[in-house]
Amino acid sequence: MRTEPPESNGPPRRTNRRGRVAVGAAVALALGATGTYIATASAEEVTAPATRLEAESFSAQSGAQTENTADTGGGKNVGWLRDGDWLQFDDVTIGGPDLTARIAAQHRAGGSIELHLGSPTGTLLATFPVAYTGGWQRWTTVTATASTVPTGRQTLVAVMRSAQPADFVNINYLTLGPASRPPATATVAPPASSAPAPTAAPSSQAGGAAGWVPVDEAAWQRELAAFNAIKQLPVPAGTTRVAEFHTDCAVANEAKDDPIVLPGLAGASHMHTFFGPTVDAATRPADLFNRPTNCNAPGDNSAYWVPQLTRDGQPVKLKSFRVYYGSRLADPSVTVPFPPGLVMVHGDAKRQVATPKGAGGQFWCAGSAETGRSADGNWPVCAPGGNLIFQLVFQDCWDGKHIDSPDHKSHMGPAQNGRCTGQYPVAVPNLSFMVNYESLGGNGLALSSGMASSMHGDFVNAWKPEKLGPLVKICLDAKAKCGIEPTFAGG
């Protein structure tokens, strides 16, 4: 549940309610996706209540997340909705002028939900009023009348409007007259495959939960069998007993693209800096195996990216980018390679809060001391000889079932008491992005996604299994330090 008191009239703090239970308790950065999720909806309709359109059956969205609902009938509702967020539904038939929305609202400022045809700025069909209902799970039904009843299948976009910036409404479902389309099954555009590249099934999980993409079980079992056949090597004296290997990558390109969050929509994202192979909005994992990469670990064709850092609107040059693969578990010997087709996002592009000294999610100084802060307090000032750096640490426990999820994070989770267990039982390598900038910090800095707190990273697994497997078995499982290949290192 959200934490602000129900009587508060001020802007409530935006919190990730589900993250406290499933994915967010033990990470350094606040969780949240990069802002927008795109899915492809099944064209096949199924039998369902004729007039009800479930909010979570969106085909695209910006700013939303799903959660279990306490409303009658159970299932999911869509929440974390604030001014400007939207939900898109494709192939919808408007069955009549009488429309309803099932909503819950914690914030007394209220607002409205606008229904537009075609796009978030398309023809306004109707407007639902949103007023305080007494809590995020105190549900009521509001009504509206369509200005017109267009014939045939439509794209319908629900746009949130509120005069204040915080979350203000949850939506369970809409009714659009007697011929409304039933809930669609949706999936993230699936990673394609090319031997021996990972594969991903195009269908969603059983039950049709939007955005959950199951692992290709056959490919995963083949990869595990090959991994289990690798023989562990004796660790010689003098080896540093830290579960670790790494890859160093250079900037491949920069573009306003994000193939995880906005697949196929060129220029629709904020500016990202990509490392490894070149990446654009249409890139799929299979494409990465066929592109040259500047990462130096043999077999690593994975793609990595972060928002661009600027000073006074101009890009800040990258000094270096290293990804450490390690283990934070009490027993790293249980670690297995990433499943085929895995994608991950960590951090929250929409998190815009101050990061004064001592706050979480800090940029910091490498190689020299911090001598002060920027005028706004959000960026360190580094002494000469050092540079600005950010470390982004991903989750390292996997649910064992899905290679992607609606927020691109909920298929991953934290360890519990040093073990991967419960909802996330499978231990995979722990990624840590070390992003070094040619900067001493200070005034004028901003990320393309906004404030320092919005720092986030994306990963698409395109490791060749025959190269990744030995690194995991020989280095991580043995709690031994390696470099870019499965050979032991000291110091």
Side-chain angles (χ1 to χ4, degrees):
M1 294 293 178
R2 307 188 191 193
T3 58
E4 64 272 16
E7 297 303 318
S8 171
N9 291 315
R13 179 182 178 188
R14 187 177 180 91
T15 58
N16 185 326
R17 292 161 283 155
R18 180 179 58 186
R20 293 188 173 189
V21 177
V23 296
V27 297
L29 288 173
L31 293 182
T34 48
T36 310
Y37 166 69
I38 295 293
T40 56
S42 167
E44 181 179 355
E45 293 189 354
V46 296
T47 301
T51 62
R52 185 155 149 167
L53 179 65
E54 298 291 343
E56 71 271 20
S57 70
F58 53 76
S59 56
Q61 60 94 345
S62 176
Q65 297 185 50
T66 62
E67 64 178 346
N68 293 330
T69 185
D71 198 9
T72 302
K76 299 283 187 179
N77 67 254
V78 175
W80 291 270
L81 296 171
R82 61 170 61 180
D83 181 58
D85 290 345
W86 50 264
L87 305 172
Q88 177 175 314
F89 305 91
D90 295 331
D91 297 324
V92 173
T93 300
I94 311 299
D98 298 325
L99 314 178
T100 72
R102 186 69 170 170
I103 66 167
Q106 171 77 14
H107 204 290
R108 289 188 180 275
S112 63
I113 303 169
E114 298 178 350
L115 296 185
H116 292 260
L117 295 175
S119 74
T121 58
T123 300
L124 179 64
L125 180 71
T127 301
F128 295 106
V130 175
Y132 174 68
T133 66
W136 294 121
Q137 293 296 324
R138 296 289 296 273
W139 294 93
T140 190
T141 300
V142 294
T143 62
T145 301
S147 59
T148 183
V149 182
T151 60
R153 295 181 180 275
Q154 306 291 325
T155 293
L156 186 68
V157 184
V159 181
M160 312 306 135
R161 298 298 184 197
S162 181
Q164 53 79 40
D167 302 351
F168 74 98
V169 66
N170 287 354
I171 306 175
N172 192 2
Y173 57 84
L174 306 172
T175 65
L176 308 175
S180 174
R181 162 182 164 264
T185 297
T187 67
V188 174
S193 63
S194 63
T199 61
S203 60
S204 70
Q205 70 174 26
W212 290 94
V213 181
V215 68
D216 182 330
E217 191 63 33
W220 173 227
Q221 292 303 320
R222 288 194 299 271
E223 186 172 324
L224 277 181
F227 172 74
N228 290 331
I230 298 171
K231 293 183 178 180
Q232 184 58 268
L233 300 178
V235 181
T239 299
T240 301
R241 301 310 295 262
V242 174
E244 177 188 295
F245 63 91
H246 67 262
T247 188
D248 295 303
C249 309
V251 174
N253 65 297
E254 293 191 296
K256 291 184 176 181
D257 293 340
D258 192 326
I260 293 178
V261 177
L262 292 164
L265 298 180
S269 180
H270 49 261
M271 185 69 75
H272 282 111
T273 302
F274 296 93
F275 304 90
T278 57
V279 172
D280 57 37
T283 299
R284 293 188 174 191
D287 301 325
L288 300 176
F289 288 92
N290 299 317
R291 295 178 185 175
T293 180
N294 57 43
C295 296
N296 64 353
D300 181 20
N301 273 68
S302 301
Y304 313 87
W305 61 94
V306 297
Q308 184 188 68
L309 180 66
T310 63
R311 182 188 296 277
D312 299 325
Q314 298 301 311
V316 174
K317 184 178 179 180
L318 265 294
K319 181 177 182 180
S320 66
F321 178 80
R322 171 171 286 191
V323 181
Y324 285 102
Y325 289 78
S327 174
R328 299 178 294 179
L329 304 181
D331 178 13
S333 68
V334 298
T335 307
V336 298
F338 297 115
L342 182 74
V343 301
M344 289 190 287
V345 173
H346 186 67
D348 185 357
K350 298 185 75 173
R351 186 171 185 257
Q352 306 292 332
V353 300
T355 51
K357 187 173 183 177
Q362 285 281 298
F363 283 76
W364 49 283
C365 297
S368 71
E370 178 180 317
T371 60
R373 304 291 291 184
S374 60
D376 61 12
N378 296 323
W379 305 88
V381 176
C382 304
N387 66 273
L388 193 67
I389 187 172
F390 195 94
Q391 181 177 15
L392 190 68
V393 182
F394 286 68
Q395 302 284 24
D396 47 6
C397 295
W398 175 48
D399 73 0
K401 301 175 182 178
H402 307 100
I403 57 170
D404 203 355
S405 51
D407 60 1
H408 315 296
K409 295 180 298 184
S410 292
H411 54 305
M412 306 296 298
Q416 301 293 331
N417 298 318
R419 297 174 59 245
C420 291
T421 187
Q423 187 178 351
Y424 304 102
V426 182
V428 294
N430 172 239
L431 270 67
S432 179
F433 288 8
M434 301 294 289
V435 193
N436 280 275
Y437 297 93
E438 293 281 7
S439 172
L440 293 177
N443 295 326
L445 293 172
L447 293 167
S448 59
S449 51
M451 296 174 70
S453 57
S454 69
M455 184 62 168
H456 56 282
D458 300 58
F459 167 71
V460 179
N461 176 31
W463 275 92
K464 295 178 181 177
E466 70 272 20
K467 295 295 186 180
L468 179 60
L471 284 163
V472 174
K473 176 63 71 72
I474 294 169
C475 306
L476 302 191
D477 286 10
K479 198 175 182 180
K481 182 177 180 179
C482 298
I484 62 173
E485 296 189 82
T487 54
F488 299 118

